[in-house]
Amino acid sequence: MTRRDVVGWAWVAGALGLILLATLTPQAGSPRLGQDFFAVPTTRLASASRDWVQNVLLYVPVGLVFVLRGYGWQRAILTSAFLSLATELCQYAIPGRDPSALDVLANVAGAHIGWTLTGWVRIRSSALVGLLAVGEWLVPPARAKRR
């Protein structure tokens, strides 16, 4: 296994650990038995917005991992959807957790954003390295003056 493989798997383990820690730990409150998975939240807008943003940000590293491992956006979307759905369904058994289909959508959006941003940064950084190489070729470094 190469160093790149070790780093890639470390990112996978870190992202998965963060997701499991954030989504499957009990929270204060009691479970809401019989809650509709597809219900639209009736909480205050600020709280619902904060929850949406947290769910998106939680899955951004998943998209990053898929770019670093060389996988396409389709695999990132399908895997994040499966992982998100599995964790949301597990939340039915965890006190204080509130499983929701909207969370699944936010998580998938986060993975896609992570994949897109990481791919964009890689393209930009590769272009920058190429421009620097061309720049060095066009403008060679100054030679030191001999005394």
Side-chain angles (χ1 to χ4, degrees):
M1 193 180 306
T2 67
R3 178 184 160 107
R4 181 179 174 160
D5 289 336
V6 171
V7 170
W9 284 113
W11 273 101
V12 169
L16 187 58
L18 178 66
I19 289 168
L20 295 177
L21 179 68
T23 59
L24 296 180
T25 53
Q27 299 293 316
S30 60
R32 299 179 201 168
L33 299 176
Q35 177 184 351
D36 185 10
F37 185 70
F38 296 102
V40 175
T42 57
T43 58
R44 295 182 332 182
L45 182 60
S47 175
S49 298
R50 185 174 51 250
D51 186 46
W52 175 265
V53 170
Q54 288 172 346
N55 278 301
V56 168
L57 292 177
L58 182 63
Y59 272 71
V60 167
V62 173
L64 176 136
V65 165
F66 276 89
V67 171
L68 294 179
R69 301 300 303 153
Y71 295 122
W73 65 270
Q74 299 92 341
R75 185 173 282 188
I77 297 297
L78 289 174
T79 304
S80 64
F82 176 75
L83 178 62
S84 179
L85 183 61
T87 56
E88 290 297 317
L89 292 177
C90 287
Q91 287 181 4
Y92 274 110
I94 299 173
R97 284 302 186 168
D98 188 18
S100 169
L102 292 175
D103 290 350
V104 174
L105 293 175
N107 295 338
V108 170
H112 186 64
I113 289 168
W115 190 92
T116 303
L117 288 177
T118 307
W120 182 80
V121 168
R122 283 182 88 183
I123 290 169
R124 296 301 181 269
S125 64
S126 297
L128 181 61
V129 168
L131 285 174
L132 290 175
V134 169
E136 283 186 18
W137 178 71
L138 290 174
V139 182
R143 294 184 184 188
K145 294 181 183 179
R146 291 186 180 180
R147 292 186 184 197

